Amino acid sequence: MAVNTIDAKMLAKMFLAGAKNLESKKEWINELNVFPVPDGDTGTNMTLTIMSAAKDVAVMDANNDLDMASLAKAISSGSLRGARGNSGVILSQLFRGFTKAIRDYDSIDIPILAQACERAVETAYKAVMKPKEGTILTVAKGASLKARELADAGETDLEKFIGTIIEHADYVLSQTPEMLPVLKQAGVVDSGGQGLMQVLKGAYEAYLGKEVDFKLEASAAPAAGAPFAGGSAQAQAETDIKFGYCTEFIIMLNKTFNIKQEMDFKAYLESIGDSIVVVADDDVVKVHVHTNDPGMAIQKALKYGALSNMKIDNMRLEHHEKVIKMAQKEAEQEAAQKAAQPAAKEPEEMKKAGFIAVSVGEGINAIFKDLGVDYIIEGGQTMNPSTEDVLNAIDKVHAETIYVLPNNKNIVLAANQAKYMTEDKRIVVIPTKTIAQGITAIINYMPDASEEENEAAMSDAIGQVRTGEVTYAVRDTIIDDYEIKEGDYMGIGDDGILAVGQAVLDVTLGMIDKMMDEDMELISIYYGQDTTEADAEALRSSVEEKYPSCDVELQYGGQPIYYYIVSVE
């Protein structure tokens, strides 16, 4: 007889199977990006996002420590922290909405699933300032509408329900080229939508009982015999155990413990151990960590509240009682030492404004530093920073107001997500989509102006900048009426392809021609790590000759993948 509900154990298996299926298809999904550039990264971003949550879920599943509320929390908070790129942020918001709808149930049936799908889509659409149809959002909405239709029609067979939804969502995905002409011209479906389909298909396979390898990275699973599973560490050789003490306890919270604080606490535990599980549920937090110093974990936890259900197992020896006494004594000693120490110094006075910029390339990093940027987040093109990366940067900048410059259209959503997760500082995200816009934005910052005036001035200034980037094609395609062959050089502007050819110099000059008009006064050229200084000087000479009334600046950017980044204003 078919089971027509899904409990926490089954949902965890479905989630892990979805994550593994996405991971296995990530390179294929990367290749679906419309622009055939070497940093097409939708599959990678979505995989890193879901794996951030899957690691926690895998530990909980292996330890048989599952209930719907804790599972929902792990999926939601893990994917929010790990969200990378627009596709990753949208995926995390889909999970966030879905888990909010299911967290209060012991098991979920068709009506609850339909409601959860609707909540997922609603949450994701709200997270995007200007939702665009023909994307992952459209595929998710199609699945949600079919789920509601089937539920209202009285469908009771859960296997048929999920299968029909996936079939319809696949059809919606196939129609995305009809909604976005750029997809049709390139001959691909939306890559984010395809990524979502791989998650759903993997989850469905697990529901059907197909064998799936749930193993993630080695660090994601607990050591053999972890106490959550009720066993011991006798079967594990001492040399195989990096962290010897399995420590678990419950924190009875006496202060707020939001996502940001949870992330900080977990990061601390990761610095002293592994196999970490931190599950917050209202006024309690369940903690599990393998560490060589349980007292450090305990002392840190005491900052958030009183502890209960403390348990420490020595995974190398069977002297559990002795270890517990030692750990408690150490914790008491550390607490006494801390009480005897003079009061901590007042934190350094925060300055009025600070700046964070996403950058790539030693030359561009240096330019941002010279312009007053406090913290550089590396990886603007080849590896999109996560929401957690932005939050960590915010922690390191001591300023009342922090201006964040994403400098890549695929990072703006992650930056905004970090903004909404920050409570103790004012965060202003200037929606810079290119390195050149980021440089222009900070140049237009006015120290004596108000936050509102600066946000308006910087946002207006980036609207006056046109940017072009020169790279190479990784596959054959047709886009913006250009027939592109693998290995061709491409000049890509703010709104599409501007030039294609077999010579970098010719393509760059052609791209600049398309960017210019009679009002332009300044042309800035940043050459990359694969471009020689001699070639860059030759380009500058050609540009100066063609546009004698413009100032032409040439600087070493050192960026990978892109031979030149050019701005005109």
Side-chain angles (χ1 to χ4, degrees):
M1 181 177 177
V3 177
N4 286 316
T5 60
I6 297 173
D7 61 12
K9 185 72 174 176
M10 174 56 74
L11 185 61
K13 289 188 179 300
M14 293 172 69
F15 179 75
L16 291 174
K20 289 298 293 184
N21 195 46
L22 174 62
E23 181 185 42
S24 70
K25 307 287 178 51
K26 66 180 179 182
E27 294 303 331
W28 171 55
I29 294 168
N30 283 341
E31 292 174 1
L32 293 176
N33 282 277
V34 170
F35 289 100
V37 294
D39 65 339
D41 50 11
T42 299
T44 300
N45 283 336
M46 294 183 74
T47 297
L48 289 170
T49 297
I50 198 170
M51 285 300 173
S52 180
K55 291 178 183 179
D56 292 344
V57 174
V59 174
M60 296 168 68
D61 182 53
N63 290 325
N64 200 26
D65 187 48
L66 284 168
D67 59 70
M68 197 67 76
S70 60
L71 176 61
K73 178 69 173 178
I75 292 173
S76 178
S77 62
S79 59
L80 283 172
R81 293 193 308 269
R84 296 175 185 266
N86 292 349
S87 54
V89 171
I90 293 172
L91 183 64
S92 74
Q93 291 295 324
L94 288 169
F95 289 146
R96 179 173 175 239
F98 186 90
T99 54
K100 279 186 177 181
I102 66 168
R103 62 188 179 188
D104 295 329
Y105 298 94
D106 292 330
S107 62
I108 51 182
D109 56 15
I110 286 176
I112 296 171
L113 276 172
Q115 179 184 354
C117 289
E118 290 174 332
R119 186 74 176 271
V121 171
E122 177 186 353
T123 303
Y125 267 85
K126 285 182 178 178
V128 181
M129 185 173 296
K130 294 180 180 179
K132 182 181 293 185
E133 297 304 331
T135 65
I136 181 176
L137 290 170
T138 306
V139 176
K141 182 169 67 174
S144 174
L145 291 173
K146 179 57 69 172
R148 172 50 58 197
E149 176 188 326
L150 293 171
D152 289 347
E155 178 62 65
T156 58
D157 186 328
L158 190 53
E159 179 179 329
K160 181 179 178 182
F161 176 78
I162 300 174
T164 304
I165 289 172
I166 290 177
E167 182 180 348
H168 181 71
D170 245 344
Y171 168 74
V172 175
L173 175 65
S174 73
Q175 297 304 299
T176 54
E178 303 302 321
M179 305 175 202
L180 285 177
V182 67
L183 293 175
K184 188 170 186 177
Q185 190 172 39
V188 296
V189 296
D190 178 67
S191 55
Q194 185 65 269
L196 177 61
M197 288 309 306
Q198 299 315 307
V199 175
L200 296 178
K201 290 178 179 179
Y204 187 43
E205 288 186 352
Y207 177 77
L208 294 176
K210 295 185 179 180
E211 290 297 323
V212 179
D213 178 9
F214 295 118
K215 292 181 181 178
L216 302 173
E217 297 178 8
S219 61
F228 274 171
S232 70
Q234 294 176 354
Q236 188 113 5
E238 180 173 333
T239 54
D240 292 334
I241 300 174
K242 182 179 180 181
F243 297 103
Y245 297 95
C246 180
T247 306
E248 60 177 303
F249 49 81
I250 292 176
I251 308 173
M252 311 300 291
L253 295 173
N254 59 20
K255 60 175 66 175
T256 58
F257 193 75
N258 56 31
I259 292 176
K260 175 66 166 52
Q261 290 163 323
E262 179 182 341
M263 180 196 70
D264 290 343
F265 180 55
K266 187 173 179 182
Y268 175 78
L269 294 180
E270 288 174 341
S271 73
I272 63 169
D274 64 7
S275 294
I276 294 156
V277 180
V278 177
V279 180
D281 182 14
D282 295 330
D283 56 353
V284 298
V285 180
K286 187 169 186 177
V287 179
H288 170 269
V289 59
H290 291 175
T291 178
N292 286 327
D293 197 334
M296 294 178 68
I298 292 168
Q299 190 64 36
K300 187 72 171 179
L302 285 170
K303 294 183 178 181
Y304 299 102
L307 305 186
S308 69
N309 293 51
M310 295 175 60
K311 184 179 180 183
I312 301 174
D313 288 337
N314 187 326
M315 296 186 293
R316 299 187 179 99
L317 303 170
E318 295 183 353
H319 305 309
H320 291 184
E321 291 183 1
K322 180 179 178 180
V323 173
I324 292 174
K325 291 178 181 179
M326 291 173 60
Q328 290 174 337
K329 182 178 180 180
E330 185 177 356
E332 291 170 357
Q333 290 174 342
E334 289 183 7
Q337 291 173 355
K338 184 175 180 179
Q341 292 174 351
K345 294 181 180 180
E346 290 293 325
E348 61 181 282
E349 184 176 351
M350 298 181 79
K351 59 183 181 178
K352 177 183 176 182
F355 298 90
I356 295 170
V358 179
S359 179
V360 58
E362 57 180 330
I364 291 174
N365 292 349
I367 292 170
F368 276 122
K369 283 291 187 182
D370 289 344
L371 290 172
V373 169
D374 299 277
Y375 192 92
I376 298 290
I377 302 176
E378 296 270 4
Q381 291 292 350
T382 57
M383 179 62 73
N384 294 151
S386 67
T387 297
E388 187 169 12
D389 291 331
V390 181
L391 287 169
N392 288 338
I394 289 171
D395 276 345
K396 292 177 172 63
V397 177
H398 298 285
E400 296 173 2
T401 299
I402 299 175
Y403 295 87
V404 180
L405 308 174
N407 300 334
N408 185 319
K409 64 181 180 181
N410 209 30
I411 304 174
V412 174
L413 276 181
N416 279 318
Q417 190 152 279
K419 168 184 175 180
Y420 297 129
M421 293 171 67
T422 301
E423 298 179 346
D424 57 341
K425 299 173 184 176
R426 169 68 175 161
I427 308 300
V428 178
V429 177
I430 305 298
T432 53
K433 297 179 180 179
T434 64
I435 292 293
Q437 286 186 352
I439 292 172
T440 295
I442 195 168
I443 288 174
N444 280 270
Y445 172 76
M446 301 172 289
D448 296 329
S450 68
E451 173 191 308
E452 292 76 14
E453 290 171 333
N454 270 311
E455 182 174 7
M458 295 165 79
S459 297
D460 180 66
I462 66 176
Q464 309 305 314
V465 180
R466 297 176 186 174
T467 306
E469 299 169 323
V470 179
T471 186
Y472 61 92
V474 296
R475 68 173 187 273
D476 296 353
T477 189
I478 297 176
I479 185 171
D480 294 339
D481 296 325
Y482 287 96
E483 183 175 351
I484 302 169
K485 299 296 183 182
E486 180 180 348
D488 281 352
Y489 297 105
M490 303 178 296
I492 306 173
D494 296 320
D495 298 315
I497 303 290
L498 298 180
V500 175
Q502 285 75 49
V504 173
L505 178 62
D506 293 342
V507 168
T508 307
L509 289 172
M511 178 186 74
I512 294 174
D513 284 346
K514 296 286 183 66
M515 296 165 63
M516 294 295 292
D517 64 36
E518 59 184 14
D519 296 324
M520 297 303 173
E521 301 174 345
L522 173 64
I523 302 172
S524 300
I525 303 170
Y526 307 90
Y527 64 97
Q529 66 180 19
D530 296 322
T531 302
T532 67
E533 184 176 359
D535 286 344
E537 289 289 356
L539 173 64
R540 175 165 65 176
S541 296
S542 296
V543 173
E544 286 177 333
E545 182 179 350
K546 189 162 189 178
Y547 302 102
S549 62
C550 289
D551 292 327
V552 180
E553 295 182 351
L554 176 67
Q555 299 189 65
Y556 174 64
Q559 68 275 5
I561 297 178
Y562 291 88
Y563 301 100
Y564 295 103
I565 297 175
V566 180
S567 69
V568 301
E569 52 189 302

